[in-house]
Amino acid sequence: MTPEQLIALAKEAMTHAYVPYSGYKVGAALLCADGSVYQGCNIENASYTPTVCAERTAIFKAVYDGHRDFVAIAVCGGKDGVITGSFPPCGVCRQVMREFCNDDFTVYLVGAGESYETLTLSQLLPHSFSAKEHMN
Ligand code: THU
């Protein structure tokens, strides 16, 4: 699975977004260690706070299916699904990644056209709290 293939799946996932309130469509594609991929989109709610991000949709789908070993995620988003720049994971999604992923978990931030940036979870969430490290 190349970054480009994962990004293409994130772009496809973005088309599933349910965004009647913000209009910002977000898509994610999560690569598991066994090569399987889980796609997610954001799903909004009239009460706002129940809204779930694309990244968490993908991660929770994968965990439900028994996966806990993740390699990378591609994330893209934009108003009405038009990608004009990167759409970085929110803090809550970074913390959910931290629960299951190592420091070197790769996050592809999709930009306009064919562009993308490659970051690690430790770059996105330095000095983070995780049960594995802090509750022994
Ligand atoms: N959103 C995501 O799906 N992922 C993020 O990491 C950031 C924000 C969604 C939530 C909401 O539906 C829309 O983007 C605007 O905030």
Side-chain angles (χ1 to χ4, degrees), residues 9-19 24-29 38-44 51-59 61 76:
L9 289 168
K11 289 180 176 175
E12 195 282 325
M14 190 172 61
T15 67
H16 297 246
Y18 173 72
V19 290
Y24 282 90
K25 295 186 177 188
V26 186
Y38 283 81
Q39 293 169 286
C41 64
N42 54 336
I43 302 166
E44 297 186 342
T51 293
V52 66
C53 295
E55 299 91 319
R56 277 178 286 147
T57 301
I59 292 168
K61 281 170 66 182
C76 61

Side-chain angles (χ1 to χ4, degrees), residues 17 30 35 43 45 54 63 66 71-72 89 95 110 117 124 130-131:
L30 175 70
I43 302 166
N45 189 279
V63 171
V71 175
Q95 185 65 33
V110 180
E117 282 178 80
L124 286 168
S130 87

